[in-house]
Amino acid sequence: MTSSPRALLSDLPKDYSFPPTTFELTPDFVTAYLDATCDEAPVYAEAALAPPLAVAARALGTLLELVELPPGSLHTGQEMEVHAGIPFDATLELSGRVAQRSERAGMIIAALDFAVARGADVVMRGRTTVMMPKETIA
Amino acid sequence: MSAPEVASITKQLSQEQVNEYANAAGDHNPIHIDVAFAEASPFGGTIAHGMLVLASLSEMMARSLGKSWLISGRLRVRFKAPARTRDSITASAKAQSATDGGRHRYVVDVVNQDGEVLISGTAEVDARG
C-alpha cells in the first residue's frame, strides 16, 4: 500500500509501506553530520566507516521527504541495529513501513520500521517511535 | 567474559549546534530552530533533536569500542525528556556482568546538568570485535 508524497504520518495506517527509495551517503554529508554533532572520534576515519547514527539520521531524513510529521510530534523512541559497516560514500536502498499504530488520550503513537540495504545486503535496521497529536494544530 | 568499560562523555549543546544539525539532517521542525515558535509551545523554548542528543551516546560507544560499534552496534532507547539547547549532556554506559549470546550488553543513558534522564535504554556490540 502506498499514498501520495507528504501525507501526514498520523494519517497512515498500520502496515503502510513507504515506496522503496534510494539515498546517497556522501563524505560531505558525513562531514557535516560530524561537525554538527561535534563528534571528533578518530575511529570513523581510521575504519573508513560512517557513524551508524549518521546513516540512521539520513534514512529518517529521507523518509521525512515522503511523509510529514504533524506539528507537536515528539520522537519518543529509537532502535538501531548495524549489520555491516557502511562507508562514507555509498548508495543505499531504504524501505520502511508503519509497524505499529495506536491511539491514546488524543495522541497517535506510530512505530516506523526501516531497513537500509547496500546492494543485496541489509546493513542497518531500525525503528523510530513518534507520538503525534490526533488533531492537527492549525 | 565481561563487557569492556565504556568511558562517559559530556557535551555542551547550543542553539548554533542545533541549527547546524537541522541543516545536516534535514529536520527543520520549528520546535528545534524557531525560538518564537518554541517559546509559545509547551516546552517554553527550543529543544535539541532527539537524534542529536542520541549522537552523544553513539559517539561514546564508538570512542570506547572502536570499529566494533560501527559494524555491529545496536541501540534501543526511549527519549524520556527533551534536552534544552543550552544543556550540558552526559552520556554513560554501565557494562552488564555477563556477555549474552556473544554480545556485550550495556545499560545506557544521557542526563543533563541537573541529572535529569533525557535518554535511557540499552546498547550492544558483538563480543568478537
Side-chain angles (χ1 to χ4, degrees):
Chain A
M1 186 190 324
T2 61
S3 73
S4 59
R6 301 298 284 172
L8 273 179
L9 176 58
S10 52
D11 290 341
L12 300 182
K14 183 178 183 296
D15 293 328
Y16 170 87
S17 291
F18 292 90
T21 189
T22 298
F23 68 90
E24 303 288 335
L25 196 68
T26 65
D28 283 349
F29 170 78
V30 174
T31 298
Y33 176 88
L34 291 173
D35 287 346
T37 56
C38 301
D39 183 347
E40 297 177 344
V43 65
Y44 314 117
E46 291 167 359
L49 294 173
L53 274 191
V55 180
R58 186 78 177 85
L60 289 176
T62 301
L63 286 180
L64 288 177
E65 292 171 4
L66 303 173
V67 69
E68 186 175 354
L69 289 173
S73 299
L74 291 175
H75 190 174
T76 59
Q78 186 64 49
E79 300 177 25
M80 174 201 76
E81 294 183 0
V82 182
H83 296 272
I86 304 167
F88 292 173
D89 201 347
T91 299
L92 300 167
E93 292 87 45
L94 174 66
S95 58
R97 72 182 186 100
V98 179
Q100 293 181 358
R101 185 184 188 281
S102 61
E103 297 185 18
R104 189 191 321 162
M107 301 296 287
I108 296 170
I109 300 169
L112 303 181
D113 281 359
F114 65 89
V116 178
R118 187 172 180 228
D121 300 321
V122 172
V123 293
M124 175 181 287
R125 291 188 189 277
R127 169 171 286 195
T128 300
T129 306
V130 182
M131 186 164 67
M132 303 161 284
K134 186 174 180 181
E135 302 297 334
T136 303
I137 301 166
Chain B
M1 179 167 50
S2 296
E5 292 298 316
V6 170
S8 299
I9 64 170
T10 296
K11 314 276 281 190
Q12 178 63 53
L13 298 176
S14 68
Q15 186 63 57
E16 291 72 23
Q17 183 189 7
V18 170
N19 294 346
E20 192 174 354
Y21 183 86
N23 289 330
D27 181 349
H28 296 95
N29 184 330
I31 197 64
H32 305 304
I33 58 175
D34 185 331
V35 173
F37 174 92
E39 285 178 347
S41 78
F43 297 110
T46 50
I47 60 174
H49 302 74
M51 291 291 277
L52 171 56
V53 182
L54 187 58
S56 66
L57 210 158
S58 184
E59 178 187 346
M60 170 187 70
M61 301 301 282
R63 283 185 179 277
S64 287
L65 302 174
K67 187 177 176 182
S68 294
W69 180 249
L70 309 187
I71 63 175
S72 70
R74 291 183 187 175
L75 268 177
R76 186 173 188 166
V77 301
R78 304 289 296 174
F79 297 99
K80 313 290 277 188
R84 308 288 171 174
T85 50
R86 283 184 284 186
D87 276 356
S88 172
I89 58 173
T90 298
S92 302
K94 184 177 181 182
Q96 301 302 283
S97 56
T99 296
D100 181 13
R103 298 185 68 84
H104 295 311
R105 191 166 187 272
Y106 300 84
V107 173
V108 295
D109 65 26
V110 180
V111 302
N112 66 13
Q113 64 283 351
D114 299 320
E116 182 182 15
V117 177
L118 308 177
I119 296 175
S120 66
T122 59
E124 296 180 10
V125 68
D126 194 322
R128 293 166 295 186

